[in-house]
Amino acid sequence: MPETTISSPTNAAASTHAILWGRALRVFAWLSFLAQTIIIGTGGAVRLTGSGLGCSEWPLCTPESLVPIYADQGIHGIIEFGNRVMTGVVGVIALAVLLLVLARTGGKATVFSALRFAAAGILAAGVVFFIFTLVDLPATPFAMAALLVTVIAATVRSVRLTTERRDLVILAWVVLIGVVAQALVGGVTVLTGLNPFIVGFHYVSSLLLVCVTAAFLVRLYAAPGPRERAVPTWFAALSHITGLALAVTILFGVLTTGSGPHSGDAAVERQGFDATVLAHVHSWPGYILAALVVTLTIAAWVLHLRPRRWLLVLVLAILVQVGVGVWQAREGLPPVLVGIHMVLASLSAAAYTVVVLNLKKPAAAEA
């Protein structure tokens, strides 16, 4: 007579609970990636519509109000305030992802530890704000810095306590740290009158957060444990050279935009570089990047390598990006095309991140 296995109600309930938490984590992980991409679009809209100083103050929009209240702010105030609201949405989603990861990997103890640090961070920020207000210094940036330091300290402790899926815990904390840091950089951007170098750094930081959330999704769906290289050495080396070409292309793209007509406000001074020359310099690594990606894609399909499907996605993103770049240059940089170009750059970087993470595979189990 075959043996019958009876699962206890306790085990069945625990399994159902784990499945529900896993689904919630996947949903919020995708929302985090989408939100980080969308905020690049809303940030681009702020710059491309000249709304960078639509809210003259930070963190308030006006000296008297958190929201736009003056008639002369008009649509610019609404666009700038909308981007600030999106920052809050991104932060809430990042916090939800972190708490879900901590709950699944370390249980209630790690969640409560993170919440205690959160309370301590808010308290520290409040104390710093009160002290700097008394001495008549800009209080909010220093309060945000105190909160950021507390989040970093919480990250260190959380990672030390983690024994399972440390990769997911680290990535989730990096996103939350990035969101807090981005809020601080955004405030500095307004307080410095939209300095083009700080604006460029703000964009690059947002792009990197898109890449981190993409990496989180890859690792979330991947099998845990040690990994080994799944491609030849020369292919891995060429892939990293391609990443360098991508970084240089984005860097010169940021410098080109910082010298072009879209400053975020008509009164903002530009970087002083020749935008026409920079546009040509920006295109050179872009064409090199396209050639490298096509070469990698052909090699990956011929050799049946692991990242071949994602290389096709990257090829498509790069080709569309090149097409939009040429189009916007010929049309005199219309704001819509520039905004699409900015978002496509972040998606190209995210696709490249997925390609790099697929250069390795789960290590084969020992006999």
Side-chain angles (χ1 to χ4, degrees):
M1 181 177 180
E3 182 181 352
T4 303
T5 302
I6 302 176
S7 59
S8 67
T10 302
N11 291 336
S15 177
T16 302
H17 186 267
I19 291 172
L20 292 175
W21 279 77
R23 288 176 179 173
L25 178 57
R26 288 193 292 273
V27 169
F28 276 96
W30 277 105
L31 287 176
S32 184
F33 173 75
L34 293 174
Q36 294 290 352
T37 305
I38 290 171
I39 201 170
I40 287 184
T42 60
V46 170
R47 184 171 188 172
L48 298 170
T49 59
S51 305
L53 297 178
C55 289
S56 60
E57 307 296 322
W58 180 83
L60 300 178
C61 185
T62 71
E64 300 86 10
S65 174
L66 179 65
V67 301
I69 57 174
Y70 298 143
D72 58 356
Q73 290 178 279
I75 188 65
H76 297 307
I78 295 174
I79 292 174
E80 165 64 9
F81 181 72
N83 186 57
R84 295 186 181 189
V85 171
M86 191 63 203
T87 301
V89 172
V90 168
V92 170
I93 295 175
L95 181 60
V97 170
L98 174 64
L99 293 178
L100 286 169
V101 169
L102 293 179
R104 291 205 65 192
T105 58
K108 295 181 180 179
T110 55
V111 173
F112 287 145
S113 176
L115 292 176
R116 284 194 296 269
F117 267 97
I122 294 172
L123 179 61
V127 171
V128 171
F129 185 89
F130 177 74
I131 293 174
F132 277 83
T133 301
L134 289 179
V135 296
D136 199 24
L137 289 174
T140 303
F142 289 98
M144 289 294 297
L147 180 61
L148 180 59
V149 170
T150 308
V151 173
I152 294 174
T155 302
V156 174
R157 175 171 174 77
S158 178
V159 171
R160 290 180 62 184
L161 293 175
T162 300
T163 58
E164 179 185 350
R165 296 312 306 262
R166 184 172 288 182
D167 55 342
L168 294 181
V169 173
I170 292 174
L171 289 171
W173 274 111
V174 168
V175 174
L176 186 61
I177 291 173
V179 171
V180 176
Q182 278 290 75
L184 179 59
V185 173
V188 173
T189 302
V190 174
L191 296 176
T192 57
L194 305 184
N195 181 286
F197 290 102
I198 298 179
V199 172
F201 176 78
H202 198 36
Y203 169 75
V204 172
S205 301
S206 295
L207 183 146
L208 291 176
L209 286 177
V210 173
C211 294
V212 175
T213 52
F216 184 91
L217 283 168
V218 173
R219 297 299 297 141
L220 179 62
Y221 285 92
R227 301 171 66 78
E228 60 186 12
R229 195 172 68 239
V231 299
T233 303
W234 66 266
F235 189 92
L238 190 60
S239 299
H240 293 301
I241 292 173
T242 302
L244 178 61
L246 176 62
V248 173
T249 303
I250 292 173
L251 173 62
F252 278 105
V254 170
L255 291 175
T256 303
T257 304
S259 302
H262 303 297
S263 62
D265 190 86
V268 175
E269 295 184 5
R270 312 309 283 136
Q271 291 170 168
F273 300 121
D274 189 324
T276 303
V277 173
L278 277 177
H280 289 289
V281 175
H282 169 52
S283 67
W284 300 338
Y287 292 130
I288 294 173
L289 171 64
L292 287 171
V293 172
V294 170
T295 301
L296 286 172
T297 304
I298 294 173
W301 280 93
V302 170
L303 299 174
H304 300 285
L305 299 179
R306 182 183 175 90
R308 59 186 183 275
R309 290 184 175 84
W310 278 104
L311 277 167
L312 280 179
V313 175
L314 182 57
V315 165
L316 179 61
I318 296 295
L319 291 179
V320 174
Q321 182 76 322
V322 170
V324 172
V326 173
W327 186 12
Q328 69 173 5
R330 291 181 176 178
E331 295 297 325
L333 302 179
V336 173
L337 291 181
V338 175
I340 293 173
H341 201 54
M342 292 171 63
V343 175
L344 282 174
S346 67
L347 293 177
S348 298
Y352 172 76
T353 301
V354 178
V355 169
V356 170
L357 291 176
N358 276 280
L359 295 178
K360 290 186 176 183
K361 63 181 180 180
E366 296 183 2

